[in-house]
Amino acid sequence: MFDLDDTLLDFRASEKLSFVRTMQALGLQERVDGLFTDYQAINTELWRKFETGAVTKDFLKVERFRATFARHGLALDPEAASGLYLDSLPDTVVLIDGAREVCVALAAIGEVGIITNGVDTIQNRRIASSGLGDCISFVATSEACGHAKPDVRFFEYAANMAHPFAKEEAIIIGDRLDADILGANRYGIDSCWFNPGRLANTSEAVPTFEVASLREIVPALKALALA
């Protein structure tokens, strides 16, 4: 079970492209870089709150733009910005290096699913645009589930979409320790931390193994199977 953003798809690249397109559509041609930096910080904090149940996804989608515009004194419509941004995301998909290769390899020997806290319709459109759809057996989103990673109920929901599913034969692969790996720990399933920046793990989450490249995953899984 793969996380989607910043694991298979380069969300940071897509996010910037979509944000710039949105601001241009609203008539803003200047100050976009500074605006985007603040938007990212606000967005990240709102997603953390969403994952703890403190805010809803519908609130998050608009509030990140409202708060950004307010900080910069811009009289722009956050509802319009949210709609434009979400419509743009599926058209700005960028694959992480090795994503297609690893999905094809794993789909040939098992079932590949996507587990994401993203917006259901948008994530499905982005997967379709990515060219990975033929490798994917199911897509579990927090919006459809009603619970977000790292909540165990989300992983139970995702596991019920797989046919068949056995914890000892499954693994969760993702870039976030606090959502993907911690969720795997709580659910009692192996995990692989995708850590291209080779960051130190100072969290309570404990991955079964970690990789810096998606191309390391298949060899690592073979080694794990032989251990």
Side-chain angles (χ1 to χ4, degrees), residues 49-205:
K49 290 181 178 179
F50 166 73
E51 288 164 1
T52 63
V55 302
T56 67
K57 189 165 291 182
D58 285 341
F59 175 81
L60 176 156
K61 288 187 286 188
V62 176
E63 176 62 16
R64 56 191 176 181
F65 287 100
R66 189 207 62 76
T68 301
F69 296 159
R71 182 175 295 182
H72 287 258
L74 295 171
L76 298 175
D77 184 350
E79 291 271 2
S82 178
L84 288 165
Y85 174 78
L86 292 174
D87 283 344
S88 178
L89 274 178
D91 299 323
T92 59
V93 169
V94 179
L95 288 175
I96 297 285
D97 186 42
R100 173 72 187 174
E101 181 181 325
V102 71
C103 285
V104 169
L106 294 180
I109 59 174
E111 192 172 20
V112 177
I114 298 295
I115 52 171
T116 172
N117 278 351
V119 179
D120 188 75
T121 56
I122 302 303
Q123 296 299 63
N124 278 286
R125 287 174 58 195
R126 294 177 69 230
I127 291 166
S129 297
S130 73
L132 299 177
D134 60 322
C135 302
I136 307 303
S137 295
F138 63 90
V139 179
T141 68
S142 60
E143 186 171 57
C145 169
H147 304 285
K149 296 182 288 183
D151 194 309
V152 169
R153 290 169 292 184
F154 174 83
F155 293 95
E156 290 173 343
Y157 169 80
N160 285 332
M161 299 178 76
H163 305 287
F165 179 85
K167 286 186 178 182
E168 64 274 13
E169 296 176 354
I171 190 164
I172 289 167
I173 302 167
D175 69 301
R176 286 186 53 191
L177 290 165
D178 59 345
D180 306 308
I181 308 307
L182 183 59
N185 292 164
R186 291 175 176 174
Y187 188 54
I189 187 174
D190 283 332
S191 62
C192 169
W193 181 28
F194 176 54
N195 182 22
R198 301 183 186 278
L199 304 175
N201 181 1
T202 58
S203 74
E204 62 179 300

Side-chain angles (χ1 to χ4, degrees), residues 105-106 109 209 216-227:
L106 294 180
I109 59 174
F209 63 92
E216 298 174 36
I217 290 175
V218 172
L221 287 175
K222 289 180 179 178
L224 184 64
L226 294 173

